[in-house]
Amino acid sequence: MTAQIRTATLATLTLAIVLVNANQGNAGEAPSWGGPPGKPPGWPPGGPHRKPNIIIFNADDMGWGDFCCYGHPTQEWGPVDDMAYEGMRFTNFYSASSLCSPSRAALMTGRLPIRIGVWGDGRVFWANSVEGLPWYEVTIAEGLKEVGYVTGFVGKWHLGINAHSPTDGEYLPHHHGFDYVGTNLPLSNAWECDEEHPYSHYKMSEAFVNDATGFMRDAQQQGKPFFLYYGTAQTHVDMYSNEGFRGSSKRGRYGDNVREMAWTVGAIMDEVKRMGEDFNTLAIFTSDNGPLIKVCNEGGDAGILKGGKMNFWEGGVRVPGIFRWPGHIKAGITTDVVASQMDIFPTLMTIVNGSVPDDRIIDGQDISSTLFKWLPEPQPEPTSKLLNQTHPGNEPRMLVWYCPDTTDPITVRYGSHKFHFVTQTVWTKEANFNEPGRCGDGGFPLQQNTQCSWCSLDQPEECVTQHDPPLMFNLDPDPNEAYPLDVSLPHHKAVLDEMMPKLQAFQASLIIPPPLMTPRDDAVGPCCDGSFPDCGCNYQYLGPVPPPGDVSQSSSSCAYLTSYCLFFISLTGMVLP
């Protein structure tokens, strides 16, 4: 289906700011933390069951501690917090990587990035990458199409663009099961892009919402359930905000950015309600990885967790996980069950009576029994047949992370314990402050910092440390990973000895494809005028990033030369086969 540009003007939305304390209850039990005034949504009226609409909101670089409902003391209450109050909030929810492309590939397929080749020295897909998410991998969209869904995509993709030319679009969403593709950000929002040619940051959120709501209405008119995947542009740098949100948060520019992103979520959910589909829509909110704490106060917050984007401490991979489905997932539940974004695919297939591929290992697991635990009536047993029963019965859940540019495991979570075979130097916001010229007034970034961002062992020893035996932490009393356990003590060694054979068996299950994120060719890079890569900036260098409020110059700085002028591409301008 050809992408449609919907130009309807969005109605002005006044956001009520409601501040609450988030005191979490016992694991898996209804919490004591409050929400906005009023009661949670009630149970739906009786009627025949039909497949639910499904929406996945995937934020960009948003930290575990960035929302009021996850404990941030000054971020205003908003629509994402409403989702948590009206649904289930996971406190141990994980992405499969600490960087965009591998994390998104895992969410889409339910499989570890390394299994599908989404690894390599590029660490993510770039504008001139000649590979992308392989066509032979089955995505959530393709699985849902098999059971009658109409599928739509808006927002950030970052799973590949072209293979042979600047315009072939080989790896864009149309080729991965999406019937409709609206406004598309193929890679990432970038600081140096010209605001006037070819697009404006300040209209992007409106475009996303217009396209998303238009797609949902079209699906309803077709009489089909819909699947919408919305990859938000926020909170990846640059911290742009529409005029209506600029200066609206006491938290500053980053808070403005969070509020605008949350508004898009609320606008889409409000449309669901206007369509009369609220009780028949499962909405999921998460983030691709942790916050980019290396850009001073322009990055997010991991709360009490250590680290952030680009590393594998908890702050890099533990992310928000919110599931809302009125009448099906009981409101106001907080759970500390360990879960992964890779679980979304098999869980959805159980809910819609679909099936995951049976010719490959699926690393995600069905968590429907957790989601529906609090329903008043017993639920049917899961029907999905998965090949990776890594924790049958009551055995601890095991999650394994790999450095994006190597094939050896870097970190393992096993039950409540975390094992680090390799650690990266933890960069903190205080470290930013202590390095002259890094941050300006109030924590405004003056230069980009990628120090100690890689994790392979060929990095400088001050950045990467190997551990044998691995560093071991108990995350229940020590989620900050501040106090390693003495693995020579019998009770700690017993856990390590229990985990290692399982990890070795897991490693034996891996058949690792070639690294798809390594090969690049400038001939496939899209650009404003076809002169890639020379069009990295289509204006003159004007010095450091300007301070907040200097909007006139915000699009004319090349201080952040990390991407290219056409990171944002509307598919109406692409030639698709």
Side-chain angles (χ1 to χ4, degrees):
M1 181 184 297
T2 302
Q4 296 174 319
I5 301 298
R6 300 181 181 278
T7 58
T9 302
L10 293 175
T12 302
L13 178 64
T14 302
L15 296 175
I17 301 173
V18 183
L19 300 178
V20 301
N21 293 320
N23 299 314
Q24 181 177 317
N26 294 329
E29 296 181 357
S32 59
W33 62 280
K39 297 180 180 180
W43 304 102
H49 172 74
R50 64 187 181 93
K51 291 181 173 64
N53 306 311
I54 297 166
I55 303 174
I56 296 177
F57 299 102
N58 194 16
D60 196 358
D61 294 358
M62 180 155 284
W64 183 86
D66 267 330
F67 289 108
C68 182
C69 66
Y70 276 93
H72 197 282
T74 56
Q75 184 64 57
E76 293 80 3
W77 184 279
V80 176
D81 304 284
D82 287 340
M83 284 184 62
Y85 176 65
E86 298 165 357
M88 179 176 287
R89 178 180 65 123
F90 282 76
T91 58
N92 281 292
F93 199 69
Y94 288 93
S95 62
S97 182
S98 62
L99 282 165
C100 302
S101 296
S103 166
R104 291 162 188 268
L107 187 155
M108 279 286 177
T109 63
R111 285 158 53 80
L112 278 168
I114 198 168
R115 285 199 200 276
I116 57 182
V118 183
W119 67 283
D121 61 17
R123 301 188 304 156
V124 295
F125 292 117
W126 294 89
N128 60 343
S129 293
V130 298
E131 300 286 354
L133 181 65
W135 283 17
Y136 55 77
E137 291 295 337
V138 178
T139 66
I140 294 175
E142 289 167 323
L144 291 173
K145 279 173 65 71
E146 288 293 318
V147 291
Y149 278 74
V150 58
T151 58
F153 170 89
V154 296
K156 176 173 174 174
W157 177 241
H158 213 167
L159 289 173
I161 305 178
N162 300 315
H164 309 291
S165 75
T167 58
D168 61 50
E170 288 272 336
Y171 300 109
L172 290 173
H174 272 298
H175 296 296
H176 291 286
F178 289 98
D179 301 312
Y180 171 84
V181 179
T183 303
N184 177 13
L185 190 64
L187 297 181
S188 294
N189 176 42
W191 228 305
E192 75 276 16
C193 288
D194 187 319
E195 292 292 350
E196 303 300 330
H197 305 93
Y199 76 102
S200 170
H201 281 128
Y202 306 107
K203 299 296 184 182
M204 190 155 39
S205 292
E206 293 184 23
F208 289 157
V209 171
N210 282 336
D211 289 350
T213 54
F215 160 74
M216 295 189 304
R217 290 191 296 268
D218 289 346
Q220 186 182 52
Q221 291 175 1
Q222 296 177 45
K224 293 183 177 181
F226 64 78
F227 166 54
L228 170 66
Y229 177 89
Y230 170 32
T232 78
Q234 300 92 355
T235 52
H236 196 287
V237 291
D238 169 36
M239 294 292 108
Y240 72 91
S241 286
N242 184 285
E243 184 177 353
F245 293 94
R246 205 173 303 149
S248 68
S249 173
K250 64 178 65 176
R251 190 178 171 188
R253 274 164 52 98
Y254 189 89
D256 295 346
N257 210 236
V258 172
R259 295 196 75 198
E260 181 164 338
M261 182 279 301
W263 170 79
T264 66
V265 172
I268 291 169
M269 294 306 299
D270 285 346
E271 183 63 24
V272 168
K273 295 171 186 176
R274 282 192 291 268
M275 292 165 57
E277 296 284 350
D278 196 30
F279 287 110
N280 200 50
T281 300
L282 166 60
I284 302 168
F285 183 93
T286 189
S287 176
D288 60 355
N289 46 248
L292 184 60
I293 59 178
K294 297 185 179 185
V295 288
C296 310
N297 215 27
E298 297 285 273
D301 201 313
I304 63 171
L305 306 178
K306 179 185 293 185
K309 180 179 181 177
M310 302 183 199
N311 65 53
F312 291 84
W313 299 97
E314 286 292 282
V317 291
R318 195 189 297 203
V319 293
I322 298 170
F323 291 70
R324 178 191 184 274
W325 187 7
H328 299 267
I329 297 173
K330 193 173 181 180
I333 299 294
T334 292
T335 179
D336 67 357
V337 168
V338 177
S340 166
Q341 291 176 349
M342 294 184 292
D343 300 339
I344 293 175
F345 191 1
T347 301
L348 293 180
M349 291 300 102
T350 291
I351 292 171
V352 304
N353 199 28
S355 61
V356 296
D358 60 5
D359 60 348
R360 65 200 69 190
I361 291 178
I362 301 295
D363 294 289
Q365 300 191 0
D366 177 9
I367 59 170
S368 58
S369 60
T370 298
L371 296 176
F372 305 131
K373 177 180 179 181
W374 296 98
L375 283 177
E377 298 179 0
Q379 294 301 297
E381 290 298 315
T383 57
S384 294
K385 296 179 180 179
L386 308 182
L387 301 180
N388 65 320
Q389 298 298 326
T390 55
H391 69 298
N394 294 317
E395 292 185 19
R397 178 76 185 266
M398 186 171 75
L399 296 173
V400 185
W401 287 271
Y402 296 82
C403 182
D405 51 354
T406 67
T407 59
D408 294 323
I410 184 171
T411 305
V412 175
R413 173 149 187 175
Y414 183 70
S416 62
H417 291 87
K418 183 98 170 279
F419 298 89
H420 290 272
F421 295 90
V422 176
T423 55
Q424 298 158 269
T425 299
V426 179
W427 195 267
T428 65
K429 292 185 177 180
E430 291 78 15
N432 282 329
F433 174 77
N434 291 329
E435 186 166 333
R438 180 74 64 197
C439 303
D441 180 52
F444 190 75
L446 299 177
Q447 57 178 290
Q448 178 128 327
N449 176 17
T450 58
Q451 182 175 347
C452 292
S453 298
W454 281 257
C455 48
S456 57
L457 293 177
D458 61 359
Q459 296 299 306
E461 61 181 14
E462 66 267 21
C463 290
V464 178
T465 304
Q466 190 171 18
H467 303 278
D468 185 16
L471 279 184
M472 178 180 178
F473 298 89
N474 186 338
L475 296 180
D476 284 347
D478 183 23
N480 186 242
E481 300 170 283
Y483 305 104
L485 303 175
D486 185 348
V487 295
S488 69
L489 297 177
H491 56 296
H492 297 327
K493 186 176 186 299
V495 180
L496 176 61
D497 290 345
E498 180 181 302
M499 182 276 294
M500 284 301 297
K502 293 179 170 59
L503 177 60
Q504 291 164 359
F506 189 84
Q507 281 291 102
S509 76
L510 288 173
I511 300 174
I512 303 174
L516 298 178
M517 293 192 299
T518 296
R520 295 191 288 276
D521 184 348
D522 288 347
V524 306
C527 199
C528 309
D529 58 6
S531 61
F532 186 93
D534 297 329
C535 63
C537 283
N538 57 349
Y539 34 77
Q540 184 179 2
Y541 173 73
L542 296 178
V545 175
D550 190 359
V551 178
S552 64
Q553 295 296 316
S554 65
S555 64
S556 301
S557 170
C558 291
Y560 289 78
L561 294 176
T562 58
S563 56
Y564 302 95
C565 63
L566 257 187
F567 262 27
F568 176 92
I569 303 170
S570 172
L571 284 186
T572 55
M574 294 294 293
V575 177
L576 295 176

